[in-house]
Amino acid sequence: MVEWTDFERATIQDIFSRIDYDVVGPAALSRCLIVYPWTQRYFGSFGNLYNAAAISSNPKVAAHGKVVLSGLEKAVKNMDDIKQTYADLSVLHSEKLHVDPDNFKLLADCLTIVVAAQMGADFNCDVQAAFQKFLAVVVSSLRRQYH
Amino acid sequence: MSLTAKDKEVVKAFWAKMSPKADDVGADALSRMLAVYPQTKTYFSHWKDLSPGSAPVKKHGKTVMGGVADAVSKIDDLTAGLLDLSELHAFTLRVDPANFKILSHNILVVLATVYPEDFTPEVHVALDKFLGALSRALSEKYR
């Protein structure tokens, strides 16, 4: 069981209440596809991903970014059992989507950077630590059902 | 994943923009590294104060960014240019190279907070590649 301090719980709720899912989701996913281009392998049906400009303006990428961030919200609402919350999603990513779980960390790092850019100085050391701990638990839960 | 001519251009241009704040960026990145990845504190047990923004952290942030600045100037041949620094890290400091990635990540996070508009995905990928190349050059003499 993951132990969360009061500060960590409050910080995670605060961050997710502040960010605009419609901006942050698309920004994080498109950044991931640009900075780590091999992640594009999972999005063959998304059309034009030829360069950064194309990726940033691709409507399917944007739509999917929102899906991913909404998925994260489940964990925000169930911080005491993220493992169980993501059991089905983990099976989906493994058995149906066949996503290499190392990619989860890449997306998590891009999300950290996008949130950092949004929050500026408010994204201090302690806030960063709480956010990265949260994302690490999410990533671990998504990896869990792979075999 | 070697640096293209475009990557080098982007890195040099962004470095020119951020160099006035390099010391602060270094101090902040180091502070975050120590706070978010506590295992990195094991390399600094000789410091009196490991808290964010402390005097030893600030001083060392400056030293580290000095090294990064040097690397920018030697971007066309990082391996040769950073040979001495590599020997230092390999034989004297013996920092596990996995930590280079950790510090690089924190440098990028700081840049995102300080330059939210300028730290575009294109700049991000060029800098990530550069810091990766820098880390590899630093690891050169390890074994």
Side-chain angles (χ1 to χ4, degrees), chain A residues 32-99:
Chain A
C32 188
L33 296 172
I34 294 167
V35 178
Y36 308 108
W38 52 95
T39 56
Q40 292 169 24
R41 73 189 307 285
Y42 302 107
F43 302 103
S45 64
F46 275 27
N48 186 357
L49 298 177
Y50 300 138
N51 53 42
I55 293 171
S56 302
S57 57
N58 184 312
K60 288 187 172 178
V61 171
H64 197 65
K66 295 181 200 178
V67 166
V68 168
L69 211 58
S70 310
L72 264 180
E73 196 170 31
K74 284 193 231 229
V76 176
K77 298 199 159 115
N78 289 291
M79 283 178 70
D80 287 312
D81 199 1
I82 295 179
K83 189 165 72 185
Q84 189 48 47
T85 304
Y86 282 145
D88 290 345
L89 266 176
S90 178
V91 170
L92 176 80
H93 282 76
S94 164
E95 319 250 302
K96 188 149 179 286
L97 305 176
H98 306 293
V99 175

Side-chain angles (χ1 to χ4, degrees), chain A residues 17-37:
Chain A
S17 70
R18 284 166 74 153
I19 59 177
D20 182 348
Y21 288 23
D22 290 346
V23 168
V24 168
L29 184 61
S30 52
R31 196 168 276 255
C32 188
L33 296 172
I34 294 167
V35 178
Y36 308 108

Side-chain angles (χ1 to χ4, degrees), chain B residues 67 70-71 73-86 137-138:
Chain B
D70 192 34
S73 72
K74 296 171 176 167
I75 202 169
D76 289 317
D77 193 349
L78 287 169
T79 311
L82 298 179
L83 222 47
D84 288 345
L85 268 177
S86 182
L138 227 46

Side-chain angles (χ1 to χ4, degrees), chain B residues 1-34:
Chain B
M1 293 200 262
S2 49
L3 298 170
T4 63
K6 182 92 214 293
D7 291 328
K8 294 180 191 179
E9 233 180 78
V10 171
V11 169
K12 287 190 215 181
F14 192 79
W15 184 261
K17 184 174 298 187
M18 64 156 282
S19 53
K21 292 200 179 156
D23 293 349
D24 290 336
V25 169
D28 195 359
L30 213 56
S31 299
R32 286 168 191 274
M33 184 186 80
L34 297 167

